[in-house]
Amino acid sequence: MTEPLYRLADATLVEPLVQDFQAWWMTVAPMPASLHLQAYLVPLLKAYLQTPDFHAKAAKDPMLSGSSFVGVPQERADEVRALLQRITVQQGERLKLAEAFDEFQNQLLAEAKGQSLEPLYSRLPDVLKGKVELVYDYVNRPSMRVHEGLLYRGPHHQTDIQSLRLRRLKADAERDSLLTTPRLRGPGQVDWKVPFHDERLDRLFSLDIEPRPLGWIRDVLGDAVASDAELLPLLSEAPQALPETWTGATPRVRYVGHACVLVEWKGKSVLIDAVVPVRPEEQGPLPRISFAQLPRRIDYVLITHSHPDHLDIETLLRLRQRIGTLVVPRSSGALAGDYSPRLLARSLGFRDVLEPYFYESLPLPDGEIIAAPFMGEHGDVAHAKTAWIVRTGPERLFFAADSMCVDEVTYRDLRATVGDLHTVFMNTEIEGAPHTWMLEGFFPKKRDRKLEKNRRCRGSNSAEGLRILELVGARRLFNYAMGLEPWMEHIIGPAATPETPRMKESERLLAAARERGLQAERLQGAQEVHLRA
């Protein structure tokens, strides 16, 4: 009798966690994680414990989407209290680092007025010594440049508090906010204590495309699974048809959802801003592409920037064994928050990671991938970001993400250097969060709230978007990254409605583009993208 083979069930969700909070760059990269923990997560959990019922109700209110509320029922408040105690003990070194950084940064701002910074090194707290350089910019504003690579080798990069949580997902709405709500363990869930860089993750996630015997799977998970009865609900014996490699002479473009797009060309595949959903038991009417529908090998994954709806650690870890090269935006390292996505990716177990400069290119058969300037959207804060151009023969696709038209010359130069950008993918998020949103740890405790209302992490409005299309010589517009897919709600909140400002602006942009003879569509749900002549 042939031994049955199992793959991961379509509804099996695998969440990477850092001490029960879902992993994203602000919980993994050492200095950002330390500052975020001290300035945001610990105060958030303390606030919840004062009024747990209020938090739990507010977290479910769509009108309060994006606010800082913990979506844990009041009857589980003791578990949150225990979690807070574990955090303060197990991440004590991170908290000390953050407190010292914050205190010394304020001293720098108060005392350093252009004189030599050399005498201040003797006053550095011990926890900061060897980890920072004191610097000025050219107008004598002081700051600390972090030796980030060193932090990944020390006690502030805590792989011992990393884990994976496996469970069946009944519906997308089950997922609580990635940013504010810890994942407390529930029935039917498997908690696998394993660091993200561990090669065993590749063996587990190979089950998306290659079924294995039950004993093989038990060996991978080890002590995490107590019995077959605990493991079997996460698996499936149902056969699965895998996609064929696309070898056509024209590019095949598939929209996965939100900002995630798959481009296949002459046997090569490129995935932009990889955020890929599982298929819950109740998945609704929108079609979706999940992990088994992606190519066996993804030659390049391109990341535009680190917002969690574009850089998703959950997806990257699940696809790691299928990805040839991960391509990330280049950071300057000049600010504590301008962390290195490359170092983050290496800590996640990726070996081949590139961070090209603007206008550098990577080869494709009769084509290339070009790094392009990504203007605006980050509230004027210098963090790593790159737009991408994928050229397939004579066709050029421009993945502009949340770009703004703040400098027309940038796009004129782009067209003059690279050629017409025939197809543009861009959004119309015209409101955006304040520039300090979820980045509290990088800013002084007392801030000018008027500036926060003025400086938003927004994309282009319809007039700015139309101008970008004109400047780059576009023939097609695909309005994407609009927050319309239900599987994105745990990251960015409830799906946009026709009455939201970004959707109204989207309608204006689409109408204006069509009046000028462009193919103009708004993308929602997984679909084939047709590039009409």
Side-chain angles (χ1 to χ4, degrees):
M1 183 176 178
T2 304
E3 186 176 7
L5 301 178
Y6 297 89
R7 59 179 176 85
L8 287 176
D10 292 340
T12 295
L13 174 68
V14 185
E15 292 179 303
L17 305 180
V18 178
Q19 201 150 35
D20 287 345
F21 277 96
Q22 187 158 355
W24 61 299
W25 71 274
M26 287 286 284
T27 59
V28 178
M31 181 58 83
S34 299
L35 294 168
H36 184 60
L37 185 72
Q38 185 253 358
Y40 185 80
L41 287 183
V42 167
L44 177 66
L45 294 181
K46 289 180 178 178
Y48 165 82
L49 290 171
Q50 291 177 354
T51 54
D53 189 48
F54 172 75
H55 267 255
K57 290 177 180 177
K60 301 298 183 184
D61 187 344
M63 299 299 294
L64 297 176
S65 173
S67 301
S68 296
F69 296 107
V70 177
V72 174
Q74 183 176 11
E75 57 268 23
R76 303 194 71 177
D78 285 344
E79 295 175 64
V80 175
R81 184 174 290 105
L83 170 62
L84 179 58
Q85 291 173 345
R86 290 197 304 274
I87 286 174
T88 55
V89 172
Q90 293 179 255
Q91 299 193 61
E93 291 302 314
R94 281 184 169 180
L95 291 170
K96 290 177 185 177
L97 178 68
E99 289 165 2
F101 188 92
D102 188 47
E103 182 179 343
F104 199 79
Q105 179 174 250
N106 287 329
Q107 291 181 36
L108 271 180
L109 293 172
E111 298 180 29
K113 305 299 181 183
Q115 77 277 23
S116 172
L117 296 172
E118 294 173 14
L120 294 178
Y121 280 93
S122 64
R123 291 166 50 190
L124 275 172
D126 289 343
V127 71
L128 290 180
K129 288 180 177 178
K131 300 178 181 66
V132 299
E133 180 183 9
L134 308 183
V135 296
Y136 282 120
D137 66 12
Y138 294 115
V139 290
N140 294 328
R141 288 172 299 201
S143 65
M144 287 181 280
R145 184 161 58 189
V146 178
H147 301 325
E148 190 178 3
L150 175 65
L151 290 180
Y152 275 102
R153 294 175 176 267
H156 301 100
H157 179 50
Q158 296 187 250
T159 59
D160 60 317
I161 56 173
Q162 296 176 354
S163 66
L164 298 183
R165 180 76 49 77
L166 290 75
R167 64 185 176 99
R168 286 187 70 90
L169 186 66
K170 185 174 182 180
D172 293 308
E174 280 186 349
R175 302 196 67 174
D176 290 311
S177 169
L178 173 150
L179 304 175
T180 64
T181 301
R183 271 52 176 158
L184 303 181
R185 188 170 177 179
Q189 299 180 5
V190 170
D191 207 17
W192 189 22
K193 297 292 186 182
V194 61
F196 299 151
H197 66 262
D198 198 298
E199 292 184 357
R200 285 175 292 173
L201 273 66
D202 294 339
R203 298 179 68 196
L204 174 71
F205 292 135
S206 70
L207 295 173
D208 281 323
I209 54 177
E210 187 174 357
R212 296 282 190 172
L214 193 61
W216 186 94
I217 302 170
R218 281 199 304 265
D219 287 344
V220 171
L221 292 172
D223 295 338
V225 179
S227 66
D228 290 351
E230 191 176 32
L231 179 58
L232 284 170
L234 303 172
L235 306 175
S236 172
E237 291 184 75
Q240 195 167 66
L242 297 173
E244 297 292 329
T245 300
W246 180 263
T247 58
T250 58
R252 182 188 188 192
V253 182
R254 285 190 285 167
Y255 180 61
V256 180
H258 196 63
C260 185
V261 182
L262 174 66
V263 179
E264 297 171 279
W265 165 251
K266 294 191 173 181
K268 299 293 183 180
S269 58
V270 180
L271 188 65
I272 298 94
D273 282 346
V275 183
V276 179
V278 300
R279 296 181 181 277
E281 296 169 4
E282 301 170 5
Q283 65 178 26
L286 269 188
R288 68 178 74 195
I289 291 172
S290 193
F291 294 95
Q293 288 74 55
L294 296 175
R296 282 181 173 269
R297 177 177 173 82
I298 302 169
D299 296 279
Y300 293 103
V301 167
L302 314 179
I303 304 297
T304 59
H305 61 298
S306 291
H307 288 165
D309 56 326
H310 297 262
L311 192 163
D312 181 40
I313 290 177
E314 179 181 307
T315 294
L316 292 179
L317 289 177
R318 191 153 180 170
L319 291 176
R320 187 177 67 192
Q321 28 82 42
R322 296 157 72 175
I323 294 172
T325 302
L326 180 62
V327 191
V328 298
R330 177 179 289 270
S331 71
S332 68
L335 303 175
D338 190 15
Y339 86 106
S340 168
R342 179 181 178 274
L343 288 176
L344 174 72
R346 297 285 299 201
S347 81
L348 298 177
F350 286 88
R351 295 189 176 91
D352 191 357
V353 188
L354 299 178
E355 48 176 11
Y357 288 98
F358 294 154
Y359 291 98
E360 284 192 316
S361 70
L362 307 170
L364 291 174
D366 189 24
E368 60 186 325
I369 298 166
I370 304 171
F374 180 161
M375 300 298 290
E377 203 268 334
H378 281 55
D380 306 320
V381 177
H383 286 182
K385 54 185 177 177
T386 301
W388 300 102
I389 299 165
V390 179
R391 181 174 69 81
T392 55
E395 179 66 45
R396 296 182 191 88
L397 299 98
F398 181 34
F399 296 92
D402 311 321
S403 295
M404 294 168 60
C405 191
V406 292
D407 181 2
E408 292 192 358
V409 176
T410 298
Y411 299 102
R412 286 199 189 97
D413 288 346
L414 193 58
R415 182 181 186 181
T417 304
V418 175
D420 289 357
L421 305 183
H422 311 99
T423 303
V424 175
F425 292 78
M426 65 182 298
N427 84 356
T428 49
E429 172 53 89
I430 63 167
E431 290 182 314
H435 67 285
T436 56
W437 184 68
M438 297 305 298
L439 303 178
E440 284 84 351
F442 302 128
F443 293 91
K445 292 294 184 292
K446 294 182 179 180
R447 307 198 299 266
D448 188 336
R449 301 297 177 178
K450 291 181 180 179
L451 290 180
E452 296 188 15
K453 291 181 180 179
N454 176 260
R455 290 171 57 189
R456 313 291 291 193
C457 296
R458 71 173 184 89
S460 290
N461 59 34
S462 56
E464 293 164 342
L466 191 64
R467 187 63 179 140
I468 290 177
L469 298 175
E470 294 171 345
L471 291 165
V472 302
R475 298 200 297 260
R476 308 176 195 92
L477 162 68
F478 293 102
N479 184 216
Y480 78 154
M482 294 296 291
L484 300 176
E485 288 81 18
W487 56 86
M488 298 298 299
E489 291 188 14
H490 72 289
I491 300 176
I492 58 177
T497 67
E499 297 306 311
T500 54
R502 66 176 177 265
M503 292 295 284
K504 291 181 178 179
E505 207 65 19
S506 170
E507 289 294 337
R508 295 186 188 101
L509 176 59
L510 293 170
R514 290 166 187 152
E515 286 178 4
R516 300 191 180 201
L518 276 68
Q519 176 188 352
E521 303 174 21
R522 183 169 55 241
L523 300 176
Q524 179 181 9
Q527 60 187 277
E528 194 100 5
V529 176
H530 300 285
L531 308 180
R532 298 200 295 268

